[in-house]
């Protein structure tokens, strides 16, 4: 009798394990930190499904997993998926778009406000005893309301950021994306611009692009040079979309005013990274979706996706765009 086997690269709660156990046998990593490579490769050898949130799924892993049918990641980003290798091995990849949009948009504004009003810098100023009566312009920041926001990448999260900006802060919204979004233009009076024009016109730039071959190093010296010296740069996409040396140069030369960063090229970011030494940088440990409610919703959707594929309801799973054709093919072979 064939028994479905499921591997989770992170510990499972009792209720989550119970849901997955309705399909077959469940194995989960229960150790501290990331899953041990030896454990992963031993367990993946006879796994039909992999539940993860960042494990690299490449040719090496897939070659060691002849039974694998689906990898379900508890994240909206899936740059840890080697798409060509997954196509070759006919393994579907699912992700969790939608459930984290509002939470990540909240963080975008947290970074905008923190950098504009120098929240972290002035918190340190107070704690170190520098605050004195008569302090005046030394404490000044810049306004967020009624300024111009440029959004690079107008997906669901970008739309949520734009809605906050326009309806909550009275901001003018500019955007650049792979395609035009008439609904955002009509609802929020957003204006589409080419990237160089957007950078030149924006008081705040929020980077929200997915990590692709085209977006690696998107924000380089040339692009930072187009921004206003008074502008603030926010990155909540992926660290590799930014040339960090170019960003450091822009921040230290007066090319831009400040930066709020939730992501870095190397994560965890080294404690001695030059960007962390700058007072006009607010740095966070990749917490875009990190609230209890949102992370739980992502976990549940990842499990839903995995169950749907194993049960043959591929159309009900959130399959990543690049594997939609494979999903259609496999759905047809299942008689759907």
């Amino acid at each position: 009798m064939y028994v479905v086997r499921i591997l989770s690269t992170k510990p499972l709660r009792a209720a989550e394990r119970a849901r997955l156990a309705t399909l077959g046998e469940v194995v989960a990593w229960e150790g501290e930190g990331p899953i041990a490579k030896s454990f992963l490769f031993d367990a993946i050898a006879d796994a039909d499904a992999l539940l993860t949130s960042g494990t690299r799924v490449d040719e090496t892993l897939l070659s060691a997993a002849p039974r694998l049918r689906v990898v379900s990641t508890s994240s909206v980003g899936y740059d840890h998926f080697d798409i060509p290798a997954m196509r070759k091995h006919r393994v579907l990849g699912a992700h969790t778009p939608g459930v984290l949009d509002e939470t990540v948009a909240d963080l975008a504004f947290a970074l905008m406000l923190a950098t504009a009003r120098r929240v972290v810098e002035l918190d340190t100023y107070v704690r170190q005893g520098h605050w004195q009566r008569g302090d005046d312009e030394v404490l000044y920041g810049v306004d967020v309301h009624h300024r111009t926001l440029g959004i690079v990448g107008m997906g669901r999260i970008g739309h949520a950021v734009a809605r906050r900006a326009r309806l909550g802060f009275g901001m003018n919204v500019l955007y650049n994306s792979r395609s035009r979004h008439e609904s955002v233009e009509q609802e929020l009076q957003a204006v589409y611009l080419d990237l160089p024009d957007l950078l030149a016109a924006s008081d705040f730039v929020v980077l929200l692009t997915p990590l692709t071959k085209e977006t690696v190093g998107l924000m380089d010296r040339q692009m930072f040079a187009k921004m206003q010296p008074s502008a603030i740069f926010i990155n909540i996409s992926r660290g590799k979309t930014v040339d960090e040396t170019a960003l450091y140069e822009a921040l230290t030369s007066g090319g831009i005013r400040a930066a709020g960063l939730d992501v870095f090229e190397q994560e965890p970011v080294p404690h001695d990274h030059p960007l962390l030494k700058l007072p006009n940088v607010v740095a966070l440990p990749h917490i875009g979706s990190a609230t209890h409610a949102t992370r739980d919703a992502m976990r549940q959707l990842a499990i839903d996706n995995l169950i749907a594929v194993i049960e043959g309801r591929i159309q009900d799973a959130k399959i990543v765009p690049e594997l939609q054709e494979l999903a259609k093919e496999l759905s047809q072979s299942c008689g759907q």
Side-chain angles (χ1 to χ4, degrees), residues 61-81:
L61 182 71
L62 294 169
S63 295
R67 290 174 43 163
L68 196 64
R69 296 163 55 189
V70 59
V71 179
S72 184
T73 183
S74 181
S75 61
V76 65
Y78 51 91
D79 45 278
H80 50 294
F81 286 0

Side-chain angles (χ1 to χ4, degrees), residues 1 9 14 37 75 81 91 103 105 119 134 156 160 191-193 216 230 236 240 244-245 277 284 304 314:
M1 179 180 177
T9 62
K37 188 173 181 179
S75 61
F81 286 0
V91 173
T103 300
V119 171
R156 285 178 295 265
V191 176
Y192 177 89
L193 290 179
V216 171
S230 58
I236 53 174
K240 291 181 180 179
E244 292 179 348
T245 299
K277 302 181 186 300
L284 297 176
D304 289 344
I314 297 174

